[in-house]
């Protein structure tokens, strides 16, 4: 397997030696990228519709949605797919600005335009891009606490 390496300059030699000693070949043209977790603090990485790798600022994220094994990061400039699991993304984002509102969606607090209450302990969120997202009963209490309502 060939991988590209993206780590801090201080650790390049150490990580390169370790990987090559374990039979992994490094190649700048490889399809897979090995990232150091904190190389882009405050950012996520994904792939655009044309397959290009993109670095996405947390500030531009509207929602992150999981569809089976596919996770999409939605922004005003488009949608990006990632191979990360939703719970890992939730743990890597600022808990003051992001919250999981149902089993498959994380939203940005700054991107909520409107909160519509419903009769059965649920909310419908209208995001800045017009998307509607349900806050399910399981997440209702945490969401109210998150917003201080």
């Amino acid at each position: 397997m060939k991988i590209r390496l993206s780590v801090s300059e201080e650790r390049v030699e150490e990580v390169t030696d370790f990987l090559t000693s374990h039979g992994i070949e490094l190649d700048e043209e490889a399809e897979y990228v090995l990232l150091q977790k904190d190389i882009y603090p405050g950012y996520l990485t994904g792939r655009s519709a044309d397959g290009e790798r993109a670095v996405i600022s947390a500030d531009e994220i509207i929602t992150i949605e999981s569809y089976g094994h596919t996770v999409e990061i939605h922004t005003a400039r488009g949608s990006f797919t990632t191979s990360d699991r939703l719970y890992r993304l939730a743990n890597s984002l600022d808990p003051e600005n992001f919250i999981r509102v149902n089993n498959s969606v994380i939203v940005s607090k700054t991107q909520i335009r409107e909160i519509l209450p419903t009769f059965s302990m649920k909310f419908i969120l209208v995001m800045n891009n017009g998307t509607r997202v349900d806050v399910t009963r399981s997440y209702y209490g945490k969401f109210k606490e998150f917003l201080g309502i």
Side-chain angles (χ1 to χ4, degrees):
M1 171 187 287
K2 293 181 182 181
I3 63 168
R4 283 183 283 161
L5 186 61
S6 182
V7 298
S8 63
E9 287 187 35
E10 300 84 34
R11 299 202 59 210
V12 168
E13 190 174 326
E14 171 193 352
V15 174
T16 301
D17 291 344
F18 176 82
L19 292 174
T20 54
S21 72
H22 285 82
I24 297 174
E25 187 177 342
L26 302 179
D27 184 347
E28 287 300 313
E29 302 299 317
E31 178 180 350
Y32 298 102
V33 180
L34 178 65
L35 283 177
Q36 179 176 322
K37 191 67 174 162
D38 61 354
I39 193 127
Y40 300 117
Y43 293 84
L44 298 179
T45 57
R47 295 233 178 241
S48 63
D50 60 3
E52 291 297 313
R53 184 168 167 251
V55 178
I56 306 141
S57 168
D59 295 335
E60 63 182 308
I61 296 170
I62 299 169
T63 61
I64 303 173
E65 193 166 1
S66 173
Y67 305 96
H69 295 293
T70 302
V71 175
E72 289 186 356
I73 302 167
H74 301 283
T75 70
R77 65 181 166 117
S79 294
F80 304 89
T81 58
T82 181
S83 58
D84 257 338
R85 308 282 296 187
L86 198 61
Y87 75 90
R88 286 189 190 148
L89 294 173
N91 291 336
S92 70
L93 293 166
D94 181 1
E96 297 290 319
N97 294 321
F98 291 91
I99 186 167
R100 194 163 180 170
V101 294
N102 61 48
N103 284 338
S104 60
V105 179
I106 297 169
V107 299
S108 168
K109 177 166 94 175
T110 62
Q111 296 291 328
I112 299 171
R113 181 179 356 157
E114 192 174 358
I115 301 171
L116 306 170
T118 66
F119 286 112
S120 57
M121 289 183 62
K122 290 183 177 181
F123 290 118
I124 297 173
L125 306 178
V126 180
M127 306 306 290
N128 284 338
N129 66 351
T131 303
R132 291 176 174 258
V133 178
D134 290 340
V135 178
T136 59
R137 277 181 264 185
S138 304
Y139 294 86
Y140 180 83
K142 288 180 188 174
F143 182 74
K144 283 179 65 173
E145 184 180 312
F146 175 73
L147 290 181
I149 55 175

